[in-house]
Structure formats: C-alpha cells, structure tokens
Amino acid sequence: MKHVSGEILNEYLDGTLDEGARKAVEGHLSECAVCRKELASLQTLFASLQTIEELPLAVDLTDTVLAALLPQQEVRRWTLWVGALQIAAVLVMAGFLWPTMQTWLESVQPWLAQLWAVPAPGQWLLWERLLAWATAVTQQYRPLTLPTFNLPAAQWGLLLGLALLLWLTANRLLLPSSRQNGESHA
C-alpha cells in the first residue's frame, strides 16, 4: 500500500484538500499506522512552532531585500549606441543581401503566382486587389539595385559572427554586468 506524502499530509492539516481527497486521506489514515504516526509528528511540530514567541527585528531589511530582488533598470548611453549600431548593422547586411534576395524572389515568383492563382470562392474582388497591389509593388521596386559585395563565404561567416557577438554583448548575454553577479557599483 502506498503511503500518503508529506505534502498531502500538510494540505490535510491546513484543510486545503478537496472533499474527495480529504476522505481518501482519512480512509488511508484509518488503516495505516505509519501515516498516522507521521501525521501526529507533524501536528506536534506545528503545535510547538505556534508556542514560539515572535521577536521583533532589530533592523528592518525590507528595503534592502526589495532592492536586491528588483534591481533598478538604468539606461546607459552606450546601450543606446549599441542598439543603434545593431539596427545599422542589420540594415547594412540587408543591403548586401538585397540583390541575392531579389534574384531568389524572381525565381520563386512563378511558384507564388501558381499558389495565388486560385482564390477561395467569394473572395475574387479582395484577391484581385491583393494581386494588383503585389504586382505594383514588385514592379515599382524592380529597378532598385543596391551595391553588391561579392564576399567569400568565410568573410560572410566572419561578418555574421561579429554581428552576433555585438548583439550578445549589447543584450548582456555574453558579458553580464557585475551588478547581476552580486557586486555593487560604487
């Protein structure tokens, strides 16, 4: 027979068990001497804890504990610059990759046209408007060409790795601040 866990016995003593669980625990306690002994020891423990006199604290640590649990979020000037550099890096990388993406989009366009060629019944008007908008957008931006940089794969990997390091550092994932490690700034 499986014994009742200490957690369930605590909930039983607190009166937080639902009716079915309470009856099941009482039924088990009527048959199991080990669980009755454990329940009696818990009752003795709780009774002795209630007799302990509550002493006033000499020092109120509430503010210190809350300050440690909820650190102040300081926005430093360098984090704003790093965020701006991240955005600039993403835009530059998008500019470098735009010709490749444009070629890929042109190769995928016939497949997308087939996918979009059969709209659901009753949605022809909306479908025609979306198709006209997509056609106008692709025709409008087709002449736009950004400078291409033909870098070897190793250099692209290095560039992406440096961008990742910059991102991790800026988001304090690579080099966490000393405040997070429990040290305080003077």
Side-chain angles (χ1 to χ4, degrees):
M1 178 181 295
K2 187 174 180 183
H3 295 292
V4 177
S5 69
E7 183 179 336
I8 299 292
L9 287 176
N10 278 310
E11 290 178 10
Y12 175 75
L13 287 173
D14 292 339
T16 58
L17 291 176
D18 60 35
E19 184 70 22
R22 185 183 57 78
K23 286 184 180 181
V25 169
E26 288 173 350
H28 179 78
L29 288 172
S30 67
E31 299 173 1
C32 181
V34 174
C35 290
R36 279 195 307 271
K37 184 178 178 184
E38 180 68 25
L39 179 66
S41 73
L42 284 174
Q43 288 172 329
T44 305
L45 173 67
F46 292 146
S48 65
L49 287 175
Q50 288 178 352
T51 61
I52 296 176
E53 179 181 322
E54 188 172 324
L55 299 173
L57 294 175
V59 178
D60 185 17
L61 300 174
T62 305
D63 294 333
T64 307
V65 170
L66 288 177
L69 292 176
L70 306 170
Q72 299 292 330
Q73 294 291 330
E74 296 178 17
V75 178
R76 295 196 175 108
R77 178 167 278 167
W78 71 269
T79 58
L80 296 175
W81 281 105
V82 170
L85 285 173
Q86 286 178 339
I87 292 171
V90 166
L91 291 175
V92 167
M93 288 174 55
F96 289 146
L97 295 175
W98 178 252
T100 305
M101 290 174 54
Q102 205 171 19
T103 305
W104 179 79
L105 285 173
E106 287 174 359
S107 68
V108 173
Q109 191 173 13
W111 179 76
L112 290 175
Q114 285 180 344
L115 182 67
W116 290 359
V118 184
Q123 296 180 350
W124 287 101
L125 183 60
L126 176 63
W127 185 254
E128 289 173 1
R129 287 183 182 174
L130 285 173
L131 197 56
W133 176 81
T135 305
V137 167
T138 57
Q139 288 176 354
Q140 179 181 1
Y141 290 112
R142 189 171 298 258
L144 176 66
T145 56
L146 296 173
T148 60
F149 295 93
N150 296 326
L151 296 175
Q155 289 178 350
W156 277 112
L158 180 64
L159 182 65
L160 291 174
L162 289 173
L164 177 65
L165 282 174
L166 179 66
W167 181 83
L168 288 172
T169 304
N171 289 300
R172 297 182 182 177
L173 297 175
L174 183 64
L175 300 172
S177 69
S178 59
R179 176 176 270 176
Q180 292 174 347
N181 292 333
E183 300 172 11
S184 62
H185 295 289

